[in-house]
Amino acid sequence: MEVGSRPESSSEAVLGRLALPSESPEQWAAIEQILRQPLQSLGDMDDILTKINAAVATTTSGQQQHMPRVCTFFKKVPGSADAGTFDFDTFFAKGAPLMIAVALEMPVLFEGVQVPIFKMRSTWTSTSTLGRQCFSLTRRQCACLLAHSFFGSLQRPEGVLPNDWRFTVIDLFVGTAVSPNSACTFPNYFTMLGKHGIPENEHLTFERRGYKKGPAP
């Protein structure tokens, strides 16, 4: 144990916290600059994902988090057989602008808010046999986090194991897991939000339940 450090408590061991890019002034300045670049064609979405991926590939201390990846999804898939019947033109007109706008709202939407990560066995902190952990977000906050998951600006926090951080939306668009059929459901979600708006004053509650180790109840 390093001098000055303190042992991790039982609650800290099973409860993580989402590291928001807006919490780092340096990182947020880079991401904001990229998101505010003019969106003149659908292919510009590839450039945004590639640039943000490079911006978050290293920590503020210069330590490399992962190898930068290049996105070509929006240059290759629209108009191809892989696109199916998805309307990329409507996404470009309605969904993409909203996705960028709500992503830029992160500093305001999450001011003073800490988003927990319920790790494996996090429900065991309860005294009851069936434990629960829950957290609520507004629909706009949810849309903001989904947008950043798409842009790749949400990174696995220190102390959170891969099993508790398996997947982000960008993996559908960049890398070895690219899947156009599955990926198109995500821009379609933002297209619908762009058409109909994000419901205000509505909350979504996320809950994890689990039984403690031992005999079945």
Side-chain angles (χ1 to χ4, degrees), residues 72-132:
T72 59
F73 184 94
F74 292 96
K75 292 183 179 74
K76 291 183 175 180
V77 173
S80 71
D82 288 334
T85 59
F86 181 69
D87 188 348
F88 279 96
D89 290 334
T90 304
F91 167 69
F92 178 71
K94 299 287 186 180
L98 175 63
M99 187 185 296
I100 292 171
V102 77
L104 287 167
E105 293 176 14
M106 176 170 273
V108 175
L109 291 175
F110 289 92
E111 183 178 5
V113 178
Q114 293 192 351
V115 182
I117 296 176
F118 300 139
K119 303 180 188 178
M120 187 184 303
R121 302 186 182 90
S122 60
T123 58
W124 291 12
T125 58
S126 171
T127 57
S128 61
T129 304
L130 174 61
R132 293 181 173 88

Side-chain angles (χ1 to χ4, degrees), residues 63-74:
Q63 182 180 0
Q64 190 170 60
Q65 297 263 73
H66 57 77
M67 292 298 295
R69 298 179 294 177
V70 176
C71 182
T72 59
F73 184 94
F74 292 96

Side-chain angles (χ1 to χ4, degrees), residues 8-29:
E8 189 177 44
S9 69
S10 58
S11 61
E12 288 174 329
V14 294
L15 291 175
R17 186 178 74 84
L18 187 62
L20 303 178
S22 57
E23 294 173 350
S24 166
E26 181 181 342
Q27 190 175 83
W28 182 251

